[in-house]
Amino acid sequence: MSSEREYVTAHQDDLYADLEAWVRIPSISADPGHADDVAASAAWLAEALRRTGFPTVEIWPTAGAPAVYAEWPSAEPDAPVALVYGHHDVQPVDPPELWEHPPFEPTRVEGPHGTELHGRGASDDKGVLIVHLLGLRAHLAATGRDTPAVTVKILVEGEEESGSPHFEALLAEKADRLSCDVVVVSDTGMAAPDVPSAVTAMRGLADAEITLRGPAVDLHSGSFGGAVPNPLHAMAELIARLHDDQGRVTLPGFYDRVRPLSDRERELMGRVPFDEQKWLTGPAASRATYGEAGFSTLERTGARPTAEVNGMWGGYTGPGHKTIIPAEAHAKVTFRLVSDQRPEDIGPMLQTWVRANVPAGIEAEVHTPPGGVAPCASDLDSPHMDALLSAIGQAFDTAPEDVLLTREGGSGPEAAITGALGAPLLFLGVGLPTDRIHSPNERVLLPMLSRGAEAAAHLWRELAGRRR
């Protein structure tokens, strides 16, 4: 047993107790009614970082929710500088009636792989992030140092679950303070409890809302049906045309910038154990797979771009019947993007495509918010990646070359961070596909947090061994 593991094992109850205290704070950034709770979450984290030993801890206000910054300089003048990124806000809990335990009353439950902690934010991202507090203490104890072997900076934002609307402005304002050699993102997971792995890429995101207008007012469907265009019919036909019979997105130019998967990348993804049937009946909760022909399910969810309809509405949806032709129909659509695609390109593509695919008598409006999220990826051949794989391997008792490489299908502000700071990315997260993040009954596997704390402790030593 390594000294890092000995320390983590001896103090893991501190980690679990801290997480339970943090989960009790309902830091829902999407709900203005929880603004005080988001501020309380930032204050709690700031105090926890001071208690850990960080000599510099600050709460950074933004035009929205506050972020937390901490810094612990290394005494070594040429030590690398690592910036840890995460977020302290959480998703709403709706629908509350589906929770087995109150979402902000953390509850321990014995599961097939060990003790689970249930509660909103237990995994995403409070649990995955908080491992760094114990991990840094374990690093100091194991190495006998008073300061870390690398300068550790931590930036934890409060609006990631709301799209990080003020984060890029904060990065620009604080770029000098945040300067670093490598960014360590702790907002991801691993393939399975017994499968040590590292995320190497995250997809980007672009979103849009489509409105189709027909008659100036709702019309009687008996008097006017079959004689004027129905916006809901037009929307249904439009959405049906968004994919072809091979599951490919039909926007002209959509795939022009997509970087193809290399043979090496496909081989690495193919090494990840994946039971499709268990995935369907478990986290996917679905009856069948679907997607772009010619790619595996893991490739579709992590390495290929997608278009998804998030919601459609219009007309009458109350009890009973209201026999009308509605005046309007609406749909919300999001696009997940992969390497080399740009979110700013998607809006014009969609507008052109919608105009070409609506029938006469239907007026179309496509609203595409500015910004979006760019895709990002790690350099598989960098010394930083070698350090990460070595750290994970030590924590999970396996060789670095046996740590599997995965891709995250979700999106976050990681590309904005690297663009602002010019530093490469590493992903160190220990969530699991079964953690039910963004869903009722979110949970985290506590033994995974202990492993994550140990991996973080090893990472600082490994990075120091690869000095600038």
Side-chain angles (χ1 to χ4, degrees):
M1 183 182 293
S2 68
S3 298
E4 287 86 354
R5 183 173 300 175
E6 287 181 358
Y7 189 92
V8 167
T9 301
H11 296 85
Q12 62 187 10
D13 287 342
D14 298 340
L15 169 66
Y16 304 158
D18 274 348
L19 179 56
E20 289 177 348
W22 203 9
V23 166
R24 292 184 186 278
I25 303 174
S27 51
I28 304 171
S29 62
D31 184 350
H34 283 281
D36 289 345
D37 294 315
V38 178
S41 172
W44 185 94
L45 176 59
E47 178 54 34
L49 289 163
R50 293 186 186 101
R51 178 166 28 94
T52 299
F54 279 86
T56 298
V57 180
E58 300 170 3
I59 295 178
W60 287 352
T62 74
V68 179
Y69 174 77
E71 182 175 349
W72 198 333
S74 174
E76 305 295 332
D78 61 342
V81 179
L83 173 69
V84 175
Y85 165 82
H87 63 91
H88 66 90
D89 63 320
V90 300
Q91 282 276 318
V93 300
D94 304 78
E97 66 272 12
L98 295 184
W99 286 80
E100 297 173 4
H101 310 283
F104 296 108
E105 294 181 16
T107 305
R108 297 193 190 191
V109 176
E110 290 304 316
H113 297 286
T115 304
E116 303 169 358
L117 182 70
H118 289 229
R120 175 59 89 221
S123 178
D124 183 21
D125 179 38
K126 292 177 178 178
V128 175
L129 177 65
I130 204 172
V131 300
H132 285 286
L133 275 64
L134 180 55
L136 189 51
R137 289 166 51 201
H139 164 68
L140 295 172
T143 58
R145 301 177 58 92
D146 295 323
T147 65
V150 302
T151 291
V152 178
K153 300 179 180 182
I154 293 184
L155 177 63
V156 184
E157 69 160 313
E159 296 183 309
E160 194 273 349
E161 299 293 11
S162 298
S164 303
H166 303 101
F167 191 57
E168 291 195 42
L170 182 67
L171 291 172
E173 177 189 350
K174 303 290 188 179
D176 289 345
R177 299 283 304 278
L178 298 171
S179 175
C180 60
D181 298 298
V182 63
V183 176
V184 179
V185 174
S186 285
D187 189 18
T188 54
M190 293 192 173
D194 55 350
V195 181
S197 54
V199 168
T200 62
M202 294 184 72
R203 294 192 290 191
L205 179 67
D207 67 305
E209 183 172 320
I210 304 170
T211 297
L212 300 185
R213 298 185 177 92
V217 296
D218 291 351
L219 298 176
H220 187 291
S221 65
S223 300
F224 298 94
V228 298
N230 184 317
L232 277 172
H233 294 182
M235 183 66 79
E237 292 177 355
L238 184 73
I239 294 303
R241 294 191 185 116
L242 189 56
H243 297 87
D244 65 17
D245 59 3
Q246 296 297 303
R248 287 174 61 87
V249 180
T250 55
L251 272 60
F254 184 73
Y255 293 94
D256 287 356
R257 287 183 173 272
V258 172
R259 186 190 305 172
L261 281 169
S262 68
D263 291 342
R264 179 191 180 197
E265 288 171 324
R266 298 195 81 167
E267 188 275 329
L268 288 172
M269 293 189 74
R271 291 174 55 195
V272 178
F274 180 69
D275 187 320
E276 192 165 270
Q277 193 56 44
K278 286 185 177 179
W279 178 80
L280 279 172
T281 58
S286 298
R287 296 177 179 87
T289 60
Y290 167 83
E292 186 181 1
F295 296 92
S296 70
T297 297
L298 284 182
E299 290 170 346
R300 292 169 183 163
T301 56
R304 294 297 294 170
T306 64
E308 294 294 339
V309 181
N310 309 127
M312 295 175 62
W313 69 98
Y316 180 70
T317 59
H321 295 279
K322 184 181 182 185
T323 53
I324 61 168
I325 296 170
E328 296 185 355
H330 309 269
K332 289 184 180 288
V333 183
T334 50
F335 299 84
R336 298 287 175 170
L337 311 176
V338 297
S339 293
D340 296 344
Q341 286 184 297
R342 302 184 304 198
E344 62 268 24
D345 292 341
I346 303 304
M349 283 183 196
L350 181 63
Q351 291 170 354
T352 300
W353 178 83
V354 169
R355 285 195 298 267
N357 283 277
V358 293
I362 295 291
E363 178 186 87
E365 178 184 342
V366 179
H367 174 64
T368 54
V373 178
C376 61
S378 299
D379 179 355
L380 301 185
D381 298 313
S382 74
H384 303 107
M385 179 61 72
D386 292 341
L388 175 68
L389 299 182
S390 179
I392 294 174
Q394 291 172 71
F396 284 83
D397 299 317
T398 192
E401 58 269 22
D402 292 329
V403 176
L404 301 183
L405 303 183
T406 66
R407 289 181 172 229
E408 169 61 56
S411 308
E414 289 75 15
I417 300 173
T418 59
L421 304 181
L425 278 175
L426 296 178
F427 296 90
L428 175 57
V430 288
L432 294 171
T434 52
D435 281 353
R436 297 189 288 265
I437 64 172
H438 293 207
S439 299
N441 304 308
E442 180 178 349
R443 64 103 205 229
V444 73
L445 185 60
L446 292 181
M448 290 296 289
L449 298 188
S450 297
R451 293 292 195 188
E454 184 185 345
H458 291 306
L459 179 61
W460 308 136
R461 187 190 68 251
E462 291 293 332
L463 284 173
R466 296 159 174 84
R467 297 182 185 274
R468 287 176 288 179

